[in-house]
Amino acid sequence: MAYSVLGRAGPPQPRRARRLLFAFTLSLSCTYLCYSLLCCCDDLGRSRLLGAPRCLRGPSAGGQKLLQKSRPCDPPGPTPSEPGAPSAPAGAAAAAPAPRLSSSNHSGSPKLGTKRLPQALIVGVKKGGTRAVLEFIRVHPDVRALGTEPHFFDRNYGRGLDWYRSLMPRTLERQITLEKTPSYFVTQEAPRRIFNMSRDTKLIVVVRNPVTRAISDYTQTLSKKPDIPTFEGLSFRNRTLGLVDASWNAIRIGMYALHLESWLRYFPLAQIHFVSGERLITDPAGEMARVQDFLGIKRLITDKHFYFNKTKGFPCLKKPESSLLPRCLGKSKGRTHVQIDPEVIDQLREFYRPYNIKFYETVGQDFRWE
């Protein structure tokens, strides 16, 4: 009795038909086997089958030696079925989404620019208008500035340049990295340390009438420490004799000529730009034009960027297109100064006069503080 291929009894089959049915069954078996291999193997298995070199999907704990011997894989992208997955490029001509500027690059995705040590610094002076200069110059597309004060060259120098660089924003090749720490100007070690970082560093110093600056400094301190002595009491060692206490920091900062000597030991005068704190209020566009010239960038910040805020008493940036509000300095800026005895002010003007004259002569500018 003849049997079918399936094992059940049946009528006799011609030999040719049996061969065709056997070949068809064998073909189905091979197809199933290949499909099973393709579906069950992972990426690493596939690479071994194809003879490709080993690679790593990502760093693992204790894998430093392995990382040194294995090449990194191409970062896996989301599959089309995943939410938010980008669609496949048409003919490889579609542009990838523009990367975001970021302070870190842990994800492996491309970032725009590189973290660099600053090429320019706003080094002083406190209560002179440094924050205004920083906020104004940040409008320029060729400048990227750190918003906070890192205090690297006075307080954090021991952390090293790598730590300092890590704080900086990412910049393109054409952009300037900038940071502001006003206390650098009165820090004895700062000029040498900055010179050791780069002798080509450009320095910006915002100066202001030293008497007005001292009163502003005191007003800020008083808002934080209401129990401090009076301005007059801190300013003089002997009020009757007119002996000013130059050891008080609020007074000492305004002795600009004295501090400038330390900087000129390391940097030529052409590498230091002085901004007038008074003109920054009355003519912000003019002062910022000179800052842009000093930095070697195009004059893009002009009078169309400013308006005068009568409440605060200084200029603000006009509303950017991406913001609902104009950009003004914080609440701590523009506070009303404490009232000082006019006779005290006259005594301080006389104290500062020789320092001011020497400063004018050194920098080649008359700031008209007398």
Side-chain angles (χ1 to χ4, degrees):
M1 179 183 291
Y3 291 88
S4 70
V5 176
L6 298 177
R8 294 194 296 267
Q13 299 289 336
R15 181 178 295 178
R16 180 178 177 82
R18 287 200 303 271
R19 288 177 177 174
L20 288 173
L21 187 58
F22 177 78
F24 178 74
T25 305
L26 181 61
S27 175
L28 283 176
S29 301
C30 291
T31 301
Y32 178 78
L33 178 61
C34 292
Y35 179 79
S36 299
L37 287 171
L38 289 173
C39 289
C40 296
C41 289
D42 61 2
D43 289 343
L44 185 59
R46 286 201 301 271
S47 69
R48 287 173 178 171
L49 286 171
L50 297 174
R54 290 178 62 190
C55 61
L56 294 176
R57 278 294 174 198
S60 60
Q64 294 302 318
K65 293 183 179 179
L66 185 59
L67 286 171
Q68 294 170 3
K69 297 178 182 179
S70 305
R71 68 177 183 87
C73 292
D74 293 332
T79 62
S81 61
E82 292 175 351
S87 58
R100 270 191 321 175
L101 284 171
S102 173
S103 60
S104 61
N105 190 16
H106 300 300
S107 64
S109 59
K111 300 296 179 181
L112 188 60
T114 305
K115 292 191 174 189
R116 298 179 175 89
L117 292 171
Q119 299 100 322
L121 299 171
I122 301 175
V123 298
V125 298
K126 180 183 178 184
K127 307 309 296 179
T130 58
R131 172 56 62 177
V133 172
L134 180 74
E135 293 302 321
F136 295 164
I137 198 63
R138 291 174 80 178
V139 176
H140 202 291
D142 289 343
V143 175
R144 293 274 293 159
L146 183 64
T148 57
E149 297 175 5
H151 286 277
F152 176 66
F153 295 104
D154 55 355
R155 302 177 191 170
N156 295 308
Y157 194 65
R159 292 177 178 262
L161 286 174
D162 287 340
W163 175 84
Y164 185 46
R165 184 189 289 108
S166 72
L167 304 177
M168 298 300 144
R170 294 181 180 276
T171 53
L172 299 175
E173 200 64 42
R174 64 178 175 82
Q175 291 178 314
I176 295 172
T177 303
L178 176 75
E179 74 107 326
K180 169 190 87 79
T181 304
S183 55
Y184 290 163
F185 189 65
V186 296
T187 300
Q188 191 70 27
E189 301 83 8
R192 174 179 54 81
R193 290 171 174 175
I194 295 171
F195 178 84
N196 289 338
M197 177 187 73
S198 173
R199 64 181 63 196
D200 298 322
T201 305
K202 293 185 176 183
L203 308 169
I204 298 173
V205 186
V206 190
V207 291
R208 182 184 184 186
N209 184 319
V211 178
T212 309
R213 197 222 65 80
I215 296 172
S216 179
D217 199 341
Y218 175 79
T219 301
Q220 183 184 54
T221 304
L222 185 66
S223 68
K224 300 175 182 177
K225 301 177 181 179
D227 299 332
I228 61 173
T230 65
F231 179 83
E232 293 86 341
L234 292 170
S235 297
F236 294 92
R237 287 185 289 134
N238 188 315
R239 170 78 188 281
T240 305
L241 298 177
L243 298 178
V244 174
D245 188 356
S247 66
W248 183 35
N249 205 39
I251 296 293
R252 189 168 182 79
I253 289 174
M255 301 161 67
Y256 304 138
L258 184 67
H259 305 300
L260 184 58
E261 291 176 358
S262 300
W263 293 89
L264 293 178
R265 294 191 189 104
Y266 293 91
F267 296 95
L269 194 60
Q271 226 165 294
I272 308 175
H273 179 71
F274 297 92
V275 177
S276 167
E278 287 80 16
R279 288 197 299 265
L280 191 63
I281 295 174
T282 59
D283 182 21
E287 282 301 296
M288 293 311 299
R290 286 182 278 274
V291 171
Q292 292 169 93
D293 291 345
F294 173 69
L295 293 175
I297 55 180
K298 189 175 180 180
R299 288 189 178 187
L300 298 180
I301 304 171
T302 62
D303 53 1
K304 69 180 181 181
H305 288 88
F306 301 99
Y307 81 97
F308 189 80
N309 186 310
K310 294 181 180 179
T311 302
K312 285 184 170 291
F314 54 74
C316 297
L317 290 168
K318 289 182 179 178
K319 182 180 72 174
E321 293 180 2
S322 59
S323 173
L324 297 176
L325 298 172
R327 286 175 57 184
C328 272
L329 300 182
K331 294 180 180 179
S332 64
K333 309 298 180 182
R335 60 166 66 92
T336 303
H337 290 177
V338 296
Q339 294 296 314
I340 305 298
D341 184 344
E343 186 177 334
V344 170
I345 293 176
D346 288 341
Q347 287 178 300
L348 290 177
R349 281 176 178 165
E350 287 302 313
F351 168 78
Y352 280 121
R353 188 183 302 277
Y355 294 101
N356 290 345
I357 292 173
K358 185 177 181 181
F359 181 65
Y360 299 164
E361 292 173 348
T362 303
V363 304
Q365 291 187 56
D366 185 352
F367 291 90
R368 302 182 182 279
W369 293 326
E370 280 64 44

